[in-house]
Amino acid sequence: MAKSKKPDPPRKTPPKKPAPPRKGGSWKRTLLAWLLAAGAGVAGILLLIVVWWVVDLPDVDKTLAQKRPPAVTILDRHGAQITAYGGVGGEWVPRKRMPVNLIKAVLAIEDRRFYSHEGVDFWGVVRAVVVNIRTGDVRQGGSTLTQQLAKNLFLTPDKTIKRKVQEALLAYSLERRLTKDELLEQYLNRVYFGAGAYGVEAASRRYFAKEVQDISLSEAAMLAGLLKAPSRYSPLNDTGMAAARTGQVLDAMVAAGYLTETRRRDIAMPRIASRAAGDSARYFTDWVMTELPQYVGEPTSDLTVRTTFEPGLQFSAQQALTSGLEKAGADGKVNQGAVVVMTPSGEVRAMVGGRDYQQSEFNRAVRALRQPGSAFKLFVYLAGFEAGYDPNSVMRDSPVILDGWQPGNYNGEFRGPVTLRTAFADSINTVAVKLANAADQSTVVEAARRLGITTPLSTLPSVSLGVTEVRLIELTGAYATIANGGYEARPYAILEVRDADGDKVYKRKESRERVVAPQQVEQLDDLMRAVVSYGTGGNARLSNHVAAGKTGTSQEWRNAWFVGYTDKYVAGVWLGNDDNSPMNHVAGGGMPARIWRDLMVRADQVKRSSAD
């Protein structure tokens, strides 16, 4: 019998090898995890920032309780009112007393969906973005009236993410606290309409000399047009721009269905009330408002500020400048000027910051930075005298080269040995450069600082010829230091501040700190009298007063100055162009000196009139 075969043992299946990992899978998962973690971290940080911004929100109820901005009334040195800022004249007007046309005009041009959104109009934002992209310019904004109210009430005008987020949060909060009509009432009683007018009542009285409930449709449209840019569209600044903007508002009212095309064509532009007398002093009062916070902080209640202002002298300064610019005319190619008048102690009595405040509110007496030319030599000679020189010291008027720089004289000539008195009177540049170098340019800068110049100054040799920029008010204050015998004369305007109850919250205290020794005062006075007696400032000579001062003309005739004093007043005059273009050979000893003389003659008449 055949042996049966043993069955084959079962085959062992080899274990499956694990599939190799896909290339790149591991780092992708790691990257994804890191991205998720980073995203969560960023989200957490953003959440914390938003929470902090929420915590940092101002007190809404407290601010809403205040019915108008604090009013600041500015008085002259005699106690008469010059002008007022803030809520003055702006009686709170209930919504029901506001003209329907005013409400329609504001909604048409500013926020047509006001009654349907919840504080932030997302569709309005989208529409504005589309229009701006399509035109390639910022033509529309997405802020609602509620957001504008939130910004005006609580926030700074800074264009930051924090401010925009807080603005939106506050807008939602306001919408839940107030009805739509209450929001409109708050907005129109608080918003700025230009020319110092806050609220519709103050604006109506300011521009049209009537109560807001009596304004016409065209007047309502003009007020609504001011909201976007009060200064730009103000009829007091540019009647053409104001009329065009009013037309845009009327067109918007037609588009919104508030006005028919037929009626739109029949509407005439409104007449503007004549300017208030106080407007001629707005350069001065604007400066007072910028100075006020350093004495009393930001106003939180009504204040009355008594100042150093002298109305008659202000009129004289304005007339002298206007007359001088008209005489210079087109031939002189000079369009602007500024004047500051103060006492030797630094009390600013008059300030003209430009040719016409209506045309330009920019205060060239306080804010403009300009090269003083030879008017800066006051500090050069002060440093020289403090180093041991005197008016009779002799230096050679001859070519000089310092650090590769070779200055010349106005007439291109050299006179050889001259006294410092003659060099100053005739404004010889080479001698000033040599004197500054002998005393060291750093001492020149130190002298300027001591007498009140705060602008950046160079210690290069060219500083001796006034190539660095100064402000007219500070340069005039420096000359006042010499006029008063060597004591600090920082220009000031505020004498006293009282609150709504009549209590004093600030009173100026006189301080007399000597900054120039008597000997140097006498020497500099000697030199500046020589300038007017027989030097470059002869056009400033007076018949009934001893006058002293210095001329200044910068490179390429871009700036012309005369700063000088009598026993009563110190005044500085600047002429030039806002675009810094050259004038036609207008020098400091020419029209500026004549304007200064005219001013001092007029000031003497004002003084005699006051005495009578």
Side-chain angles (χ1 to χ4, degrees):
M1 242 178 114
K3 290 184 180 178
S4 59
K5 283 185 178 180
K6 290 183 180 180
D8 294 333
R11 255 181 219 178
K12 292 184 180 179
T13 307
K16 291 184 178 180
K17 294 181 179 179
R22 294 181 181 177
K23 289 184 178 179
S26 176
W27 72 265
K28 287 182 179 178
R29 284 194 297 272
T30 302
L31 178 61
L32 179 60
W34 275 106
L35 288 174
L36 290 173
V42 171
I45 293 172
L46 291 176
L47 180 61
L48 288 173
I49 292 174
V50 172
V51 169
W52 171 248
W53 289 347
V54 172
V55 172
D56 194 37
L57 287 174
D59 189 329
V60 175
D61 295 325
K62 181 179 179 181
T63 306
L64 288 174
Q66 187 179 345
K67 284 296 186 181
R68 60 167 172 77
V72 179
T73 303
I74 311 292
L75 309 179
D76 67 19
R77 59 191 296 261
H78 307 291
Q81 180 173 329
I82 309 170
T83 190
Y85 292 80
V88 171
E91 177 189 348
W92 191 271
V93 182
R95 164 66 179 85
K96 62 184 179 182
R97 280 182 49 207
M98 293 181 184
V100 173
N101 283 330
L102 176 63
I103 301 300
K104 290 180 177 179
V106 171
L107 295 182
I109 197 67
E110 291 292 329
D111 190 355
R112 294 183 197 177
R113 287 170 43 83
F114 175 72
Y115 280 99
S116 60
H117 62 65
E118 296 295 323
V120 178
D121 185 3
F122 293 103
W123 287 113
V125 173
V126 171
R127 182 180 64 252
V129 170
V130 171
V131 170
N132 294 338
I133 292 175
R134 186 183 303 158
T135 60
D137 193 11
V138 180
R139 299 288 181 85
Q140 291 188 9
S143 292
T144 64
L145 286 183
T146 315
Q147 287 176 275
Q148 293 179 44
L149 175 62
K151 179 180 69 175
N152 292 338
L153 278 176
F154 310 109
L155 304 173
T156 66
D158 299 335
K159 294 182 179 180
T160 62
I161 296 175
K162 175 184 178 181
R163 203 268 289 166
K164 293 300 291 183
V165 171
Q166 288 187 323
E167 180 185 292
L169 293 171
L170 286 167
Y172 277 117
S173 177
L174 288 170
E175 290 275 351
R176 279 147 186 77
R177 279 176 164 82
L178 304 173
T179 66
K180 288 291 186 177
D181 282 351
E182 288 172 338
L183 286 168
L184 271 175
E185 180 178 315
Q186 289 281 340
Y187 177 75
L188 290 173
N189 277 289
R190 295 177 184 275
V191 71
Y192 184 58
F193 286 91
Y198 287 84
V200 288
E201 182 67 17
S204 179
R205 292 180 182 276
R206 179 66 189 85
Y207 293 113
F208 313 122
K210 62 177 70 172
E211 295 182 7
V212 69
Q213 61 189 21
D214 297 328
I215 63 174
S216 66
L217 172 57
S218 62
E219 290 167 343
M222 180 168 280
L223 290 182
L226 290 169
L227 296 173
K228 182 178 181 181
S231 295
R232 183 181 182 189
Y233 296 121
S234 170
L236 302 181
N237 292 338
D238 191 325
T239 54
M241 289 285 287
R245 180 61 176 168
T246 302
Q248 292 175 357
V249 175
L250 293 170
D251 291 340
M253 293 180 72
V254 172
Y258 298 143
L259 188 65
T260 64
E261 285 279 6
T262 303
R263 192 179 178 198
R264 163 70 180 88
R265 287 193 293 269
D266 294 336
I267 297 174
M269 290 298 104
R271 291 184 60 186
I272 306 302
S274 59
R275 298 172 65 196
D279 277 359
S280 64
R282 282 293 297 274
Y283 286 118
F284 178 88
T285 58
D286 285 354
W287 177 54
V288 169
M289 290 298 291
T290 63
E291 294 286 296
L292 185 60
Q294 67 178 288
Y295 299 109
V296 297
E298 290 294 337
T300 57
S301 62
D302 292 354
L303 298 173
T304 300
V305 183
R306 188 165 66 88
T307 70
T308 58
F309 185 77
E310 175 57 61
L313 201 55
Q314 174 72 20
F315 182 78
S316 297
Q318 181 70 67
Q319 290 297 306
L321 179 62
T322 300
S323 175
L325 288 172
E326 288 175 351
K327 289 176 182 176
D331 292 340
K333 294 184 179 179
V334 52
N335 294 317
Q336 275 297 351
V339 177
V340 174
V341 186
M342 63 182 67
T343 66
S345 65
E347 280 192 22
V348 178
R349 295 288 175 85
M351 176 182 289
V352 185
R355 189 168 197 158
D356 189 333
Y357 185 86
Q358 281 199 64
Q359 294 179 0
S360 171
E361 298 178 10
F362 180 73
N363 193 337
R364 295 155 191 83
V366 174
R367 297 173 58 191
L369 294 173
R370 292 288 183 156
Q371 292 182 344
S374 292
F376 195 81
K377 289 176 182 175
L378 170 70
F379 311 113
V380 174
Y381 280 76
L382 172 57
F385 291 156
E386 290 178 335
Y389 292 87
D390 64 60
N392 294 314
S393 297
V394 175
M395 279 193 172
R396 180 174 291 277
D397 173 19
S398 60
V400 58
I401 300 177
L402 292 174
D403 297 340
W405 175 62
Q406 184 173 5
N409 290 325
Y410 175 79
N411 58 8
E413 299 175 356
F414 302 102
R415 295 162 57 175
V418 293
T419 65
L420 293 187
R421 181 184 295 104
T422 298
F424 190 88
D426 291 342
S427 206
I428 298 175
N429 289 338
T430 58
V431 173
V433 172
K434 291 178 180 180
L435 182 62
N437 191 57
D440 193 282
Q441 286 82 9
S442 63
T443 64
V444 174
V445 171
E446 188 277 329
R449 293 277 182 250
R450 204 181 337 138
L451 271 62
I453 303 298
T454 64
T455 52
L457 298 174
S458 167
T459 55
L460 294 174
S462 57
V463 71
S464 56
L465 300 186
V467 298
T468 52
E469 297 173 326
V470 299
R471 297 183 177 91
L472 174 61
I473 191 168
E474 291 185 350
L475 189 61
T476 307
Y479 278 70
T481 297
I482 307 306
N484 71 30
Y487 295 93
E488 184 180 54
R490 300 296 171 106
Y492 66 94
I494 298 174
L495 295 173
E496 180 181 276
V497 182
R498 293 179 180 266
D499 61 18
D501 297 323
D503 296 328
K504 289 182 184 178
V505 294
Y506 169 78
K507 182 175 178 61
R508 181 172 179 82
K509 296 179 180 178
E510 292 297 330
S511 61
R512 286 177 64 82
E513 178 186 352
R514 177 171 289 282
V515 292
V516 180
Q519 182 181 2
Q520 279 75 57
V521 170
E522 184 179 342
Q523 291 169 333
L524 289 168
D525 181 68
D526 176 0
L527 265 58
M528 287 191 279
R529 290 189 185 205
V531 169
V532 177
S533 295
Y534 59 83
T536 59
N539 282 320
R541 195 176 303 126
L542 297 168
S543 61
N544 57 342
H545 288 284
V546 174
K550 184 70 185 77
T551 58
T553 309
S554 72
Q555 301 175 56
E556 299 180 350
W557 316 94
R558 297 181 189 275
N559 302 280
W561 309 68
F562 187 85
V563 187
Y565 55 85
T566 66
D567 57 330
K568 296 293 183 183
Y569 296 116
V570 186
V573 178
W574 165 83
L575 296 184
N577 294 310
D578 284 342
D579 61 2
N580 205 32
S581 59
M583 297 176 287
N584 185 17
H585 291 79
V586 176
M591 187 52 67
R594 285 191 285 270
I595 291 173
W596 187 92
R597 180 186 181 281
D598 184 21
L599 165 61
M600 289 302 174
V601 171
R602 292 172 186 265
D604 205 42
Q605 294 170 351
V606 169
K607 186 176 63 176
R608 289 203 305 271
S609 176
S610 299
D612 296 339

